[in-house]
Amino acid sequence: MNYISIQDSSSLSKWVRSALKIKKSPLKNQSLGKNKTLGMLFFNPSLRTRLSTQKAALNLGMNVMVMNFTNEGWTLEFEDGAVMNSGASEHIKEAAEVVSQYCDIIAIRAFAGLESKEKDYSETVISGFIKHATVPIVNMESAVRHPLQSLADAITMEEYKTEHKPKVVLSWAPHPKALPQAVANSFVEMMQLQKEMDFVITHPEGYELSPEITKDCKIEYDQNKAFENADFVYVKNWSNFNDYGKVTNIDPSWTVTTEKMALTNNGKFMHCLPVRRNVIVSDEVIDSENSIVIQQANNRTYAAQLVLQKILKKL
Amino acid sequence: MNYISIQDSSSLSKWVRSALKIKKSPLKNQSLGKNKTLGMLFFNPSLRTRLSTQKAALNLGMNVMVMNFTNEGWTLEFEDGAVMNSGASEHIKEAAEVVSQYCDIIAIRAFAGLESKEKDYSETVISGFIKHATVPIVNMESAVRHPLQSLADAITMEEYKTEHKPKVVLSWAPHPKALPQAVANSFVEMMQLQKEMDFVITHPEGYELSPEITKDCKIEYDQNKAFENADFVYVKNWSNFNDYGKVTNIDPSWTVTTEKMALTNNGKFMHCLPVRRNVIVSDEVIDSENSIVIQQANNRTYAAQLVLQKILKKL
Amino acid sequence: MNYISIQDSSSLSKWVRSALKIKKSPLKNQSLGKNKTLGMLFFNPSLRTRLSTQKAALNLGMNVMVMNFTNEGWTLEFEDGAVMNSGASEHIKEAAEVVSQYCDIIAIRAFAGLESKEKDYSETVISGFIKHATVPIVNMESAVRHPLQSLADAITMEEYKTEHKPKVVLSWAPHPKALPQAVANSFVEMMQLQKEMDFVITHPEGYELSPEITKDCKIEYDQNKAFENADFVYVKNWSNFNDYGKVTNIDPSWTVTTEKMALTNNGKFMHCLPVRRNVIVSDEVIDSENSIVIQQANNRTYAAQLVLQKILKKL
């Protein structure tokens, strides 16, 4: 079993309930991971994902081996049939097969390069590992998806939702640098698995996510309208999908402020972090009682632990 | 309980005795750290501190997660109210709160930048973690202090002192690059807690450390006079505090040589390491029987273990 | 006991048999490494060696501390008597003595610099550690040797050899970048310990390895002749030893192809990895059933585990 997309959860609601059980007694399954090794491979920087996934593995009694390809390793080749006489020193085929022999589970972080939509949306890196590895693969943020994040988001919404059917908004916000669409994509895919929630996406015109991801999700270009009566406001920047990987808009009127949150139904503010304060969101909002970003980050551990636990049970 | 300064030791002499007990049976408290996680965050390189602190945690049965911000993470913002539209990707507030959820203790190394005295001496980084973290913080060398080093120094002097009241000299020595004052500062602060020792600081005129640190410590500008009858000679370069962070003197006559050590009372040579041979100290001196730099480094493990042990007992 | 060269194996055939026993039940000696710490010091990138050695240590119940000198530490000085007023911050003497106090075994990776034959072939880095460390040293690839690789190679050949006396070829192959001779050297040294094998080295004229390594090994400049009836073809690029560290030949006719493998006795294709596909070897050959490169990499764990086990038993 791999965990590449939130759609790999057999039943989101059951998974959320299981994760909340793990949260109550995280050390209960410490024997499950005994003598099992998690290999964590990073092609990009990481703070939360690195530490929470490692913590989850430790809670399960696993050994963890961390490898940063950027400074400890070398460039990999992903193309079949390549004549490897320039940059890359090793083909994904060998790398994945070899690492599979030292690890029981391999977790991988490999961001979108944001230069080629085709390359990114074919998930070159993680697909290469899936194809060639002989052990389960866990996605710690790939070019297109960040399913450990969206599972943590689902857990967090379960904890904070009230009795009525909640309205959830995914709102774009400005950011000076080009960021991947992965978090937004996985949040959308997770919301599509939610049965009892109203969902709307808001972003400037032209900032549409991949239609293969959003499908028939409601899109509202007026951020204020979208925020009306929202119970959860999930904010995230992404770079342009159509004009691929470009920053074509930094309109500060999209920054989430107290005035905008006032339109909501006492809505909770969510963000995957790291967040640029006073660019994505004002200090007032993120420091308010309705901000649950820290709690979201805490649930990263239990999301990862659930995934590792499910994989360990099937090994 | 945090460990930020040597002054956080309730009683230096008791701590030194406890550390020496730990040294005799370092694995005695292996159950104390079970299922507890030490997060080690590095904003700068480290050899001794990295390995000795990690070893101390392992001796206590703890799990250790290491994170290098320089290559594995990103730049943090420390200013309240900052509009984060340039370099920094995450505010210390989120970073500290989030990491606190994955770790039971956070240890941090963040050197002085040596560009702004005000910024360095306000201890921006470690103060940010203290303010926002929700778990104990251990200082693995901050802009101003290196209290695990000075605790190890106190342990080492306890082992090597003879019956009479010892004379201890802190001597500046030349170095080609600008170094922080942290080790010297913490050594001074540690000596101020010593009751039965004579202490003198020697350095070229103009190389005074912060008067808020040295207070009424005796300063002797003549290195030879300072060395007379010394039992311990603690040598360390620091960059200029007044002409902040500059190297204004590389006078080789301050290098510690056999001739100078001959002025002492069969004095022990101490240095925190890394040391530049034949610049700070001659080969003859550091290779002599009176050099106890390796023993000092060994005591780093027991200093760290004592601190972690004290914190673990209060968790 | 150090493990610096394959010649440090008391009896290669006994070691190979012991490693194959470990492979059958790798967790059998988990108590042997309890409370023992392996320090892994990297002066160069590493994938297989890093993960397999770490895995071996974990299989033995050891603690592992990993340190990358390239980004987490600083430059070391190796020359005795050096006046250290330029690049290097610490002398190997202190570094080795200090790290010895935190670790029970130190494993080191430090490649050839390929600028000075004299410096490389005096094994500056690993010799410095051997000289100054006070605990056993394991070579994870030094300037001249890679004995964990060649032990894994011997294990792999034992698994795949058939009843008759095998013919083994070490073949040079082209590569765009200058690579060390370490793997080839250690393979030659390992073959010199094999009693029941015919061995021939093939490479372009001018690409002779050090005569102090190859001694009276048979050299055949015609690759096709060398391949005739071979049971194992071990392929590896190395840079020129005579015109030291230079790439003086990139002749693609030396690439190992199906046509060349057809000359062998159904020969197995071996390579230490990473390998540049379609430069060193064609896809057809490395993807064929006769390629045993993945199995070789797997045996890295058991080679390392045998070495660590032997050292642990003597501690």
Short mmCIF file of all heavy atoms in Angstrom, two decimals, chain A residues 97-126:
data_model
loop_
_atom_site.label_atom_id
_atom_site.label_comp_id
_atom_site.label_asym_id
_atom_site.label_seq_id
_atom_site.Cartn_x
_atom_site.Cartn_y
_atom_site.Cartn_z
N GLU A 97 15.30 0.97 -6.20
CA GLU A 97 15.44 -0.46 -5.87
C GLU A 97 16.40 -0.68 -4.72
O GLU A 97 16.18 -1.52 -3.84
CB GLU A 97 15.93 -1.24 -7.10
CG GLU A 97 14.87 -1.41 -8.17
CD GLU A 97 15.32 -2.39 -9.26
OE1 GLU A 97 15.74 -3.50 -8.94
OE2 GLU A 97 15.26 -2.01 -10.45
N VAL A 98 17.48 0.09 -4.71
CA VAL A 98 18.50 -0.07 -3.67
C VAL A 98 17.96 0.37 -2.31
O VAL A 98 18.06 -0.37 -1.32
CB VAL A 98 19.77 0.71 -4.04
CG1 VAL A 98 20.68 0.85 -2.83
CG2 VAL A 98 20.50 0.01 -5.18
N VAL A 99 17.38 1.57 -2.26
CA VAL A 99 16.89 2.08 -0.98
C VAL A 99 15.79 1.17 -0.43
O VAL A 99 15.67 0.99 0.79
CB VAL A 99 16.43 3.55 -1.11
CG1 VAL A 99 15.81 4.04 0.19
CG2 VAL A 99 17.61 4.44 -1.50
N SER A 100 15.02 0.58 -1.30
CA SER A 100 13.98 -0.37 -0.86
C SER A 100 14.56 -1.53 -0.06
O SER A 100 13.86 -2.15 0.74
CB SER A 100 13.26 -0.96 -2.08
OG SER A 100 12.57 0.05 -2.79
N GLN A 101 15.82 -1.83 -0.31
CA GLN A 101 16.44 -2.96 0.40
C GLN A 101 16.88 -2.58 1.82
O GLN A 101 17.15 -3.45 2.63
CB GLN A 101 17.63 -3.48 -0.40
CG GLN A 101 17.22 -3.97 -1.77
CD GLN A 101 18.39 -4.52 -2.57
OE1 GLN A 101 18.43 -5.71 -2.88
NE2 GLN A 101 19.34 -3.67 -2.88
N TYR A 102 16.98 -1.28 2.09
CA TYR A 102 17.44 -0.84 3.42
C TYR A 102 16.28 -0.34 4.28
O TYR A 102 16.45 -0.10 5.47
CB TYR A 102 18.46 0.30 3.29
CG TYR A 102 19.61 0.04 2.35
CD1 TYR A 102 20.13 1.06 1.55
CD2 TYR A 102 20.22 -1.21 2.26
CE1 TYR A 102 21.19 0.84 0.69
CE2 TYR A 102 21.28 -1.44 1.40
CZ TYR A 102 21.76 -0.41 0.61
OH TYR A 102 22.81 -0.63 -0.24
N CYS A 103 15.11 -0.13 3.66
CA CYS A 103 13.98 0.48 4.36
C CYS A 103 12.72 -0.35 4.17
O CYS A 103 12.54 -0.98 3.13
CB CYS A 103 13.71 1.88 3.79
SG CYS A 103 15.12 2.98 3.89
N ASP A 104 11.83 -0.31 5.16
CA ASP A 104 10.56 -1.00 5.04
C ASP A 104 9.50 -0.09 4.43
O ASP A 104 8.53 -0.57 3.84
CB ASP A 104 10.12 -1.50 6.41
CG ASP A 104 11.13 -2.49 6.97
OD1 ASP A 104 11.14 -3.63 6.50
OD2 ASP A 104 11.94 -2.10 7.83
N ILE A 105 9.68 1.20 4.62
CA ILE A 105 8.80 2.20 4.03
C ILE A 105 9.69 3.37 3.59
O ILE A 105 10.63 3.72 4.30
CB ILE A 105 7.76 2.73 5.06
CG1 ILE A 105 6.92 1.58 5.65
CG2 ILE A 105 6.85 3.79 4.43
CD1 ILE A 105 5.97 1.99 6.78
N ILE A 106 9.38 3.95 2.44
CA ILE A 106 10.14 5.12 1.98
C ILE A 106 9.19 6.31 1.88
O ILE A 106 8.15 6.23 1.23
CB ILE A 106 10.79 4.87 0.60
CG1 ILE A 106 11.75 3.68 0.66
CG2 ILE A 106 11.54 6.12 0.12
CD1 ILE A 106 12.32 3.28 -0.70
N ALA A 107 9.55 7.40 2.57
CA ALA A 107 8.77 8.64 2.48
C ALA A 107 9.60 9.65 1.69
O ALA A 107 10.80 9.75 1.88
CB ALA A 107 8.45 9.18 3.87
N ILE A 108 8.91 10.37 0.78
CA ILE A 108 9.63 11.23 -0.17
C ILE A 108 9.04 12.62 -0.23
O ILE A 108 7.82 12.79 -0.34
CB ILE A 108 9.57 10.62 -1.59
CG1 ILE A 108 10.32 9.30 -1.60
CG2 ILE A 108 10.17 11.57 -2.63
CD1 ILE A 108 9.92 8.43 -2.74
N ARG A 109 9.91 13.63 -0.19
CA ARG A 109 9.50 15.01 -0.47
C ARG A 109 10.21 15.48 -1.72
O ARG A 109 11.44 15.51 -1.78
CB ARG A 109 9.84 15.91 0.71
CG ARG A 109 9.81 17.41 0.33
CD ARG A 109 9.69 18.32 1.50
NE ARG A 109 8.35 18.28 2.03
CZ ARG A 109 7.76 19.28 2.71
NH1 ARG A 109 8.42 20.39 2.94
NH2 ARG A 109 6.55 19.15 3.17
N ALA A 110 9.43 15.87 -2.71
CA ALA A 110 10.00 16.37 -3.96
C ALA A 110 9.02 17.35 -4.57
O ALA A 110 8.03 16.97 -5.20
CB ALA A 110 10.27 15.22 -4.93
N PHE A 111 9.30 18.63 -4.37
CA PHE A 111 8.40 19.70 -4.80
C PHE A 111 8.28 19.79 -6.33
O PHE A 111 9.14 19.31 -7.07
CB PHE A 111 8.95 21.06 -4.35
CG PHE A 111 8.83 21.33 -2.88
CD1 PHE A 111 9.46 22.44 -2.33
CD2 PHE A 111 8.13 20.49 -2.04
CE1 PHE A 111 9.38 22.73 -0.98
CE2 PHE A 111 8.03 20.76 -0.67
CZ PHE A 111 8.65 21.90 -0.15
N ALA A 112 7.25 20.50 -6.72
CA ALA A 112 7.14 20.92 -8.11
C ALA A 112 8.31 21.82 -8.47
O ALA A 112 8.72 22.65 -7.66
CB ALA A 112 5.82 21.68 -8.31
N GLY A 113 8.84 21.65 -9.68
CA GLY A 113 9.91 22.53 -10.14
C GLY A 113 9.36 23.85 -10.67
O GLY A 113 10.05 24.84 -10.77
N LEU A 114 8.07 23.85 -11.02
CA LEU A 114 7.33 25.02 -11.51
C LEU A 114 7.88 25.56 -12.83
O LEU A 114 7.64 26.71 -13.17
CB LEU A 114 7.28 26.13 -10.44
CG LEU A 114 6.51 25.77 -9.17
CD1 LEU A 114 6.53 26.94 -8.19
CD2 LEU A 114 5.06 25.37 -9.48
N GLU A 115 8.63 24.74 -13.54
CA GLU A 115 9.10 25.16 -14.86
C GLU A 115 8.31 24.48 -15.98
O GLU A 115 8.06 25.09 -17.00
CB GLU A 115 10.60 24.87 -15.00
CG GLU A 115 11.41 25.84 -14.15
CD GLU A 115 12.89 25.66 -14.28
OE1 GLU A 115 13.33 24.84 -15.12
OE2 GLU A 115 13.62 26.33 -13.53
N SER A 116 7.95 23.23 -15.76
CA SER A 116 7.20 22.51 -16.78
C SER A 116 5.96 21.88 -16.14
O SER A 116 6.06 21.01 -15.29
CB SER A 116 8.08 21.41 -17.39
OG SER A 116 7.27 20.39 -17.93
N LYS A 117 4.80 22.35 -16.58
CA LYS A 117 3.55 21.80 -16.04
C LYS A 117 3.47 20.30 -16.32
O LYS A 117 3.08 19.51 -15.46
CB LYS A 117 2.35 22.50 -16.69
CG LYS A 117 1.01 22.10 -16.12
CD LYS A 117 -0.17 22.51 -17.00
CE LYS A 117 -0.46 23.99 -16.90
NZ LYS A 117 -1.79 24.31 -17.51
N GLU A 118 3.89 19.95 -17.52
CA GLU A 118 3.79 18.56 -17.93
C GLU A 118 4.65 17.68 -17.01
O GLU A 118 4.21 16.64 -16.53
CB GLU A 118 4.27 18.42 -19.38
CG GLU A 118 3.81 17.14 -20.03
CD GLU A 118 4.56 16.91 -21.34
OE1 GLU A 118 5.07 17.89 -21.93
OE2 GLU A 118 4.64 15.73 -21.74
N LYS A 119 5.88 18.12 -16.78
CA LYS A 119 6.80 17.35 -15.93
C LYS A 119 6.26 17.27 -14.51
O LYS A 119 6.22 16.20 -13.90
CB LYS A 119 8.18 18.03 -15.95
CG LYS A 119 9.29 17.15 -15.43
CD LYS A 119 10.63 17.89 -15.42
CE LYS A 119 11.60 17.23 -14.46
NZ LYS A 119 12.73 18.09 -14.10
N ASP A 120 5.84 18.42 -13.97
CA ASP A 120 5.34 18.43 -12.60
C ASP A 120 4.08 17.56 -12.47
O ASP A 120 3.99 16.72 -11.58
CB ASP A 120 5.02 19.86 -12.15
CG ASP A 120 6.28 20.66 -11.85
OD1 ASP A 120 7.36 20.06 -11.75
OD2 ASP A 120 6.19 21.90 -11.73
N TYR A 121 3.12 17.77 -13.38
CA TYR A 121 1.84 17.06 -13.23
C TYR A 121 1.92 15.58 -13.64
O TYR A 121 0.97 14.83 -13.44
CB TYR A 121 0.70 17.84 -13.89
CG TYR A 121 0.16 18.87 -12.92
CD1 TYR A 121 0.93 20.00 -12.58
CD2 TYR A 121 -1.05 18.69 -12.25
CE1 TYR A 121 0.47 20.91 -11.63
CE2 TYR A 121 -1.50 19.61 -11.30
CZ TYR A 121 -0.74 20.72 -11.00
OH TYR A 121 -1.18 21.61 -10.05
N SER A 122 3.06 15.18 -14.17
CA SER A 122 3.24 13.73 -14.35
C SER A 122 3.92 13.14 -13.11
O SER A 122 4.20 11.94 -13.06
CB SER A 122 4.08 13.45 -15.60
OG SER A 122 5.37 13.98 -15.43
N GLU A 123 4.18 13.98 -12.10
CA GLU A 123 4.74 13.50 -10.83
C GLU A 123 6.00 12.66 -11.05
O GLU A 123 6.16 11.56 -10.50
CB GLU A 123 3.70 12.65 -10.07
CG GLU A 123 2.51 13.45 -9.55
CD GLU A 123 2.80 14.15 -8.22
OE1 GLU A 123 3.96 14.59 -8.01
OE2 GLU A 123 1.87 14.26 -7.40
N THR A 124 6.93 13.22 -11.83
CA THR A 124 8.14 12.50 -12.22
C THR A 124 8.82 11.79 -11.05
O THR A 124 9.10 10.59 -11.11
CB THR A 124 9.16 13.48 -12.84
OG1 THR A 124 8.46 14.36 -13.71
CG2 THR A 124 10.23 12.75 -13.58
N VAL A 125 9.10 12.51 -10.00
CA VAL A 125 9.93 11.94 -8.93
C VAL A 125 9.19 10.84 -8.18
O VAL A 125 9.64 9.70 -8.10
CB VAL A 125 10.42 13.03 -7.96
CG1 VAL A 125 11.24 12.40 -6.84
CG2 VAL A 125 11.26 14.07 -8.71
N ILE A 126 8.02 11.20 -7.63
CA ILE A 126 7.35 10.20 -6.80
C ILE A 126 6.85 9.03 -7.66
O ILE A 126 6.88 7.87 -7.21
CB ILE A 126 6.23 10.84 -5.94
CG1 ILE A 126 5.96 9.95 -4.73
CG2 ILE A 126 4.97 11.12 -6.74
CD1 ILE A 126 5.38 10.66 -3.55
#
